mmCIF file of all heavy atoms in Angstrom:
data_model
loop_
_atom_site.group_PDB
_atom_site.id
_atom_site.type_symbol
_atom_site.label_atom_id
_atom_site.label_comp_id
_atom_site.label_asym_id
_atom_site.label_seq_id
_atom_site.Cartn_x
_atom_site.Cartn_y
_atom_site.Cartn_z
ATOM 1 N N VAL A 107 23.381 58.632 40.261
ATOM 2 C CA VAL A 107 24.092 58.398 41.502
ATOM 3 C C VAL A 107 25.356 59.251 41.594
ATOM 4 O O VAL A 107 25.832 59.576 42.686
ATOM 5 C CB VAL A 107 24.441 56.885 41.640
ATOM 6 C CG1 VAL A 107 25.618 56.507 40.757
ATOM 7 C CG2 VAL A 107 24.728 56.532 43.103
ATOM 8 N N HIS A 108 25.897 59.679 40.440
ATOM 9 C CA HIS A 108 27.084 60.529 40.441
ATOM 10 C C HIS A 108 26.767 61.935 40.939
ATOM 11 O O HIS A 108 27.692 62.712 41.216
ATOM 12 C CB HIS A 108 27.689 60.607 39.038
ATOM 13 C CG HIS A 108 28.237 59.299 38.551
ATOM 14 N ND1 HIS A 108 29.165 58.567 39.248
ATOM 15 C CD2 HIS A 108 27.962 58.588 37.426
ATOM 16 C CE1 HIS A 108 29.462 57.466 38.587
ATOM 17 N NE2 HIS A 108 28.741 57.447 37.479
ATOM 18 N N ARG A 109 25.484 62.268 41.052
ATOM 19 C CA ARG A 109 25.108 63.596 41.524
ATOM 20 C C ARG A 109 24.928 63.627 43.045
ATOM 21 O O ARG A 109 24.584 64.659 43.616
ATOM 22 C CB ARG A 109 23.801 64.033 40.846
ATOM 23 C CG ARG A 109 23.935 64.196 39.345
ATOM 24 C CD ARG A 109 22.603 64.139 38.633
ATOM 25 N NE ARG A 109 21.660 65.117 39.169
ATOM 26 C CZ ARG A 109 20.368 65.150 38.851
ATOM 27 N NH1 ARG A 109 19.877 64.235 38.027
ATOM 28 N NH2 ARG A 109 19.572 66.054 39.369
ATOM 29 N N LEU A 110 25.152 62.485 43.697
ATOM 30 C CA LEU A 110 25.027 62.425 45.152
ATOM 31 C C LEU A 110 26.298 62.908 45.816
ATOM 32 O O LEU A 110 27.384 62.835 45.243
ATOM 33 C CB LEU A 110 24.737 60.987 45.587
ATOM 34 C CG LEU A 110 23.382 60.400 45.163
ATOM 35 C CD1 LEU A 110 23.313 58.929 45.544
ATOM 36 C CD2 LEU A 110 22.244 61.164 45.815
ATOM 37 N N PRO A 111 26.194 63.372 47.065
ATOM 38 C CA PRO A 111 27.403 63.761 47.812
ATOM 39 C C PRO A 111 28.323 62.565 48.013
ATOM 40 O O PRO A 111 27.872 61.418 48.082
ATOM 41 C CB PRO A 111 26.841 64.287 49.154
ATOM 42 C CG PRO A 111 25.403 64.569 48.902
ATOM 43 C CD PRO A 111 24.960 63.619 47.837
ATOM 44 N N MET A 112 29.633 62.857 48.101
ATOM 45 C CA MET A 112 30.602 61.805 48.346
ATOM 46 C C MET A 112 30.371 61.169 49.709
ATOM 47 O O MET A 112 29.854 61.780 50.626
ATOM 48 C CB MET A 112 32.019 62.364 48.305
ATOM 49 C CG MET A 112 32.426 62.948 46.987
ATOM 50 S SD MET A 112 32.485 61.699 45.710
ATOM 51 C CE MET A 112 31.686 62.573 44.403
ATOM 52 N N GLY A 113 30.788 59.914 49.862
ATOM 53 C CA GLY A 113 30.727 59.259 51.148
ATOM 54 C C GLY A 113 30.121 57.868 51.068
ATOM 55 O O GLY A 113 29.698 57.394 50.003
ATOM 56 N N GLN A 114 30.062 57.198 52.217
ATOM 57 C CA GLN A 114 29.601 55.820 52.260
ATOM 58 C C GLN A 114 28.147 55.648 51.836
ATOM 59 O O GLN A 114 27.834 54.654 51.175
ATOM 60 C CB GLN A 114 29.823 55.259 53.673
ATOM 61 C CG GLN A 114 29.610 53.762 53.789
ATOM 62 C CD GLN A 114 30.535 52.967 52.878
ATOM 63 O OE1 GLN A 114 31.635 53.410 52.545
ATOM 64 N NE2 GLN A 114 30.088 51.786 52.461
ATOM 65 N N PRO A 115 27.209 56.569 52.193
ATOM 66 C CA PRO A 115 25.836 56.387 51.707
ATOM 67 C C PRO A 115 25.735 56.299 50.192
ATOM 68 O O PRO A 115 24.952 55.505 49.646
ATOM 69 C CB PRO A 115 25.106 57.623 52.257
ATOM 70 C CG PRO A 115 25.859 57.988 53.488
ATOM 71 C CD PRO A 115 27.292 57.683 53.148
ATOM 72 N N ARG A 116 26.542 57.113 49.491
ATOM 73 C CA ARG A 116 26.528 57.040 48.033
ATOM 74 C C ARG A 116 27.052 55.694 47.554
ATOM 75 O O ARG A 116 26.498 55.098 46.623
ATOM 76 C CB ARG A 116 27.366 58.180 47.456
ATOM 77 C CG ARG A 116 27.657 58.028 45.974
ATOM 78 C CD ARG A 116 28.328 59.242 45.405
ATOM 79 N NE ARG A 116 28.991 58.954 44.136
ATOM 80 C CZ ARG A 116 29.556 59.862 43.368
ATOM 81 N NH1 ARG A 116 29.556 61.139 43.734
ATOM 82 N NH2 ARG A 116 30.127 59.530 42.234
ATOM 83 N N VAL A 117 28.123 55.197 48.182
ATOM 84 C CA VAL A 117 28.680 53.902 47.790
ATOM 85 C C VAL A 117 27.653 52.801 48.000
ATOM 86 O O VAL A 117 27.464 51.911 47.157
ATOM 87 C CB VAL A 117 29.963 53.619 48.592
ATOM 88 C CG1 VAL A 117 30.478 52.210 48.299
ATOM 89 C CG2 VAL A 117 31.054 54.639 48.243
ATOM 90 N N GLU A 118 26.937 52.839 49.117
ATOM 91 C CA GLU A 118 25.966 51.777 49.442
ATOM 92 C C GLU A 118 24.798 51.762 48.460
ATOM 93 O O GLU A 118 24.382 50.703 47.999
ATOM 94 C CB GLU A 118 25.459 51.969 50.876
ATOM 95 C CG GLU A 118 26.538 51.672 51.920
ATOM 96 C CD GLU A 118 26.071 51.990 53.333
ATOM 97 O OE1 GLU A 118 24.930 52.470 53.487
ATOM 98 O OE2 GLU A 118 26.840 51.748 54.280
ATOM 99 N N ILE A 119 24.267 52.935 48.119
ATOM 100 C CA ILE A 119 23.138 52.947 47.173
ATOM 101 C C ILE A 119 23.610 52.548 45.777
ATOM 102 O O ILE A 119 22.889 51.885 45.033
ATOM 103 C CB ILE A 119 22.458 54.335 47.167
ATOM 104 C CG1 ILE A 119 21.136 54.280 46.391
ATOM 105 C CG2 ILE A 119 23.356 55.404 46.588
ATOM 106 C CD1 ILE A 119 20.088 53.401 47.014
ATOM 107 N N ALA A 120 24.854 52.912 45.417
ATOM 108 C CA ALA A 120 25.395 52.500 44.119
ATOM 109 C C ALA A 120 25.540 50.988 44.058
ATOM 110 O O ALA A 120 25.230 50.354 43.024
ATOM 111 C CB ALA A 120 26.744 53.176 43.869
ATOM 112 N N LEU A 121 25.990 50.370 45.147
ATOM 113 C CA LEU A 121 26.115 48.911 45.190
ATOM 114 C C LEU A 121 24.752 48.240 45.061
ATOM 115 O O LEU A 121 24.596 47.248 44.325
ATOM 116 C CB LEU A 121 26.785 48.482 46.497
ATOM 117 C CG LEU A 121 28.285 48.760 46.612
ATOM 118 C CD1 LEU A 121 28.754 48.587 48.051
ATOM 119 C CD2 LEU A 121 29.075 47.848 45.680
ATOM 120 N N ALA A 122 23.747 48.786 45.742
ATOM 121 C CA ALA A 122 22.411 48.195 45.678
ATOM 122 C C ALA A 122 21.826 48.298 44.278
ATOM 123 O O ALA A 122 21.185 47.361 43.776
ATOM 124 C CB ALA A 122 21.496 48.896 46.686
ATOM 125 N N ILE A 123 22.051 49.437 43.602
ATOM 126 C CA ILE A 123 21.543 49.624 42.239
ATOM 127 C C ILE A 123 22.193 48.611 41.282
ATOM 128 O O ILE A 123 21.521 47.964 40.481
ATOM 129 C CB ILE A 123 21.785 51.066 41.775
ATOM 130 C CG1 ILE A 123 20.904 52.035 42.567
ATOM 131 C CG2 ILE A 123 21.526 51.206 40.283
ATOM 132 C CD1 ILE A 123 21.247 53.482 42.357
ATOM 133 N N GLU A 124 23.511 48.476 41.377
ATOM 134 C CA GLU A 124 24.219 47.553 40.474
ATOM 135 C C GLU A 124 23.817 46.105 40.755
ATOM 136 O O GLU A 124 23.668 45.299 39.827
ATOM 137 C CB GLU A 124 25.727 47.720 40.644
ATOM 138 C CG GLU A 124 26.280 49.066 40.180
ATOM 139 C CD GLU A 124 26.112 49.307 38.691
ATOM 140 O OE1 GLU A 124 25.831 48.329 37.953
ATOM 141 O OE2 GLU A 124 26.282 50.453 38.256
#
Side-chain angles (χ1 to χ4, degrees):
V107 77
H108 294 305
R109 296 160 54 190
L110 293 174
M112 297 295 136
Q114 190 59 28
R116 168 173 162 174
V117 174
E118 290 174 358
I119 190 65
L121 287 167
I123 291 169
E124 294 295 346

